[in-house]
């Protein structure tokens, strides 16, 4: 990153109304205490449109601009928003991208990475709060939303276990393993061990396919069968195995694979 490419970063409130001149500057850093009114008007218009119509009123790059306003208070952030979307595809993948990948995008520094990761963590917490300690069957759509929020945009495979009590309430959710773009190592013995430690009566397995296609591989089917057979003698049910794709999911139970 050259000196001219680097953005000046600082942490500010997302909608700073009373802070001196937090509004958008041209791509060249400005000197002086005030910014041109047309620059301020752009940020004001975007904020007002968001307040009036919410996220549905804005394309991805403008929503991303709103986030970047906080991270980069005195730069034109539209070019950076577009670069991020060009690199990762959509705002979900931008927010879920690994910090190392984000840092490779020209103009991204620590403030941008931190704010994007805060946004990701908040989204995960909100989705998780809707399913914890709730009956899984009656909260199935919320559970799927949580899985998609947590895993659909990851660039590597992740294997998670959802632990249920005897009333099928979610009592714990753990990442068991993380792998490559098309493989994640899973060991039935470790799955059984964690189920016993949580005193779980049932499990739901979840993993993602970074390719976006939730179709199970033969190794997915064989691994699920090994875990199922390891749990059965202990009286622990395997309710389902969900594979999360970019815009859809596959249920082993619904497909007759379990």
């Amino acid at each position: 990153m050259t000196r001219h490419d680097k953005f000046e970063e600082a942490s500010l409130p997302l909608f700073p109304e009373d802070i001196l001149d937090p509004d958008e500057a041209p791509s060249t850093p400005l000197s002086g205490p005030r910014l041109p009114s047309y620059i301020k008007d752009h940020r004001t218009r975007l904020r007002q449109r968001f307040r009036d119509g919410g996220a549905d009123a804005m394309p991805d790059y403008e929503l991303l601009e709103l986030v970047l306003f906080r991270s980069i208070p005195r730069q034109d952030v539209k070019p950076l928003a577009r670069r991020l979307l060009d690199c990762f595809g959509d705002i979900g993948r931008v927010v879920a991208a690994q910090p190392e990948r984000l840092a490779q995008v020209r103009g991204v520094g620590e403030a941008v990475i931190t704010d994007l990761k805060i946004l990701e963590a908040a989204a995960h917490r909100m989705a998780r709060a809707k399913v914890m300690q709730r009956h899984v069957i009656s909260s199935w759509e919320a559970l799927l939303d949580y899985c998609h929020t947590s895993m659909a945009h990851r660039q590597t495979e992740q294997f998670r276990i959802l632990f249920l009590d005897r009333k099928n309430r979610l009592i714990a959710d753990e990442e068991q393993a993380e792998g490559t773009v098309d493989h994640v190592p899973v060991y039935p013995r470790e799955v059984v061990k964690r189920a016993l430690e949580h005193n779980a009566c049932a499990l739901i397995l979840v993993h993602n396919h970074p390719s976006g296609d939730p179709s199970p591989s033969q190794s997915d089917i064989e691994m699920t069968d090994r875990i199922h057979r390891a749990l059965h003698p202990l009286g622990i049910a395997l309710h389902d195995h969900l594979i999360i794709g970019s815009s859809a999911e596959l249920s082993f139970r619904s497909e007759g694979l379990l």
Side-chain angles (χ1 to χ4, degrees), residues 225-246:
D225 182 61
R226 288 196 300 271
I227 293 175
H228 191 195
R229 286 188 282 108
L231 292 170
H232 183 70
L234 302 173
I236 301 174
L238 180 57
H239 282 340
D240 211 338
H241 182 174
L242 301 174
I243 301 180
I244 306 299
S246 57

Side-chain angles (χ1 to χ4, degrees), residues 134 136-137 143 162-172 198-204 236-237 239:
R134 303 207 179 166
V136 165
I137 303 303
L143 181 70
L162 309 181
F163 301 91
L164 311 179
D165 66 11
R166 61 184 180 85
K167 294 183 178 180
N168 283 327
R169 293 176 302 194
L170 185 62
I171 55 175
H198 282 293
N199 197 28
C201 294
L203 306 182
I204 297 175
I236 301 174
H239 282 340

Side-chain angles (χ1 to χ4, degrees):
M1 183 183 296
T2 67
R3 182 176 180 182
H4 295 293
D5 290 332
K6 187 175 181 181
F7 284 86
E8 179 182 348
E9 299 184 351
S11 291
L12 295 172
L14 184 58
F15 297 126
E17 304 294 348
D18 301 319
I19 294 177
L20 179 63
D21 297 322
D23 295 293
E24 186 170 4
S27 56
T28 302
L30 295 176
S31 59
R34 302 198 64 81
L35 302 180
S37 59
Y38 76 92
I39 297 294
K40 294 192 290 185
D41 288 347
H42 175 68
R43 291 193 174 194
T44 300
R45 285 194 300 270
L46 284 190
R47 290 177 183 132
Q48 190 60 51
R49 197 184 326 151
F50 179 80
R51 292 189 182 105
D52 292 343
D56 290 341
M58 317 187 81
D60 273 7
Y61 79 89
E62 289 184 339
L63 193 60
L64 192 51
E65 278 189 82
L66 286 174
V67 177
L68 295 174
F69 286 170
R70 179 187 186 278
S71 313
I72 304 173
R74 292 181 61 81
Q75 296 284 348
D76 179 0
V77 297
K78 184 183 292 184
L80 177 56
R82 290 190 179 277
R83 278 199 297 275
L84 285 165
L85 291 171
D86 287 344
C87 181
F88 296 104
D90 60 46
I91 194 168
R93 287 182 170 84
V94 171
V95 172
Q98 294 297 314
E100 297 80 9
R101 288 283 312 280
L102 288 168
Q104 294 172 4
V105 178
R106 179 166 55 89
V108 171
E110 287 300 319
V112 170
I113 293 172
T114 298
D115 287 344
L116 290 175
K117 293 296 102 181
I118 290 172
L119 183 62
E120 180 188 28
H124 290 182
R125 291 287 180 90
M126 291 173 65
R128 190 172 188 266
K130 294 179 180 180
V131 297
M132 286 303 298
Q133 296 296 333
R134 303 207 179 166
H135 190 275
V136 165
I137 303 303
S138 61
S139 305
W140 191 250
E141 289 301 319
L143 181 70
L144 293 179
D145 286 345
Y146 169 56
C147 293
H148 275 279
T149 299
S150 302
M151 304 174 72
H153 300 299
R154 297 179 65 93
Q155 278 104 39
T156 57
E157 283 200 16
Q158 181 190 65
F159 180 79
R160 304 183 74 88
I161 307 174
L162 309 181
F163 301 91
L164 311 179
D165 66 11
R166 61 184 180 85
K167 294 183 178 180
N168 283 327
R169 293 176 302 194
L170 185 62
I171 55 175
D173 161 35
E174 291 183 354
E175 176 183 340
Q176 183 73 11
E178 185 166 1
T180 63
V181 295
D182 60 1
H183 175 71
V184 60
V186 179
Y187 303 100
R189 181 172 61 182
E190 290 301 314
V191 174
V192 170
K193 176 183 176 183
R194 294 303 293 155
L196 293 173
E197 289 173 348
H198 282 293
N199 197 28
C201 294
L203 306 182
I204 297 175
L205 310 178
V206 190
H207 84 278
N208 63 307
H209 279 181
S211 67
D213 180 3
S215 301
S217 66
Q218 186 61 36
S219 62
D220 291 335
I221 296 171
E222 292 171 356
M223 175 265 292
T224 304
D225 182 61
R226 288 196 300 271
I227 293 175
H228 191 195
R229 286 188 282 108
L231 292 170
H232 183 70
L234 302 173
I236 301 174
L238 180 57
H239 282 340
D240 211 338
H241 182 174
L242 301 174
I243 301 180
I244 306 299
S246 57
S247 58
E249 71 284 334
L250 180 138
S251 160
F252 273 52
R253 180 72 63 183
S254 296
E255 294 295 317
L257 298 171
L258 187 62

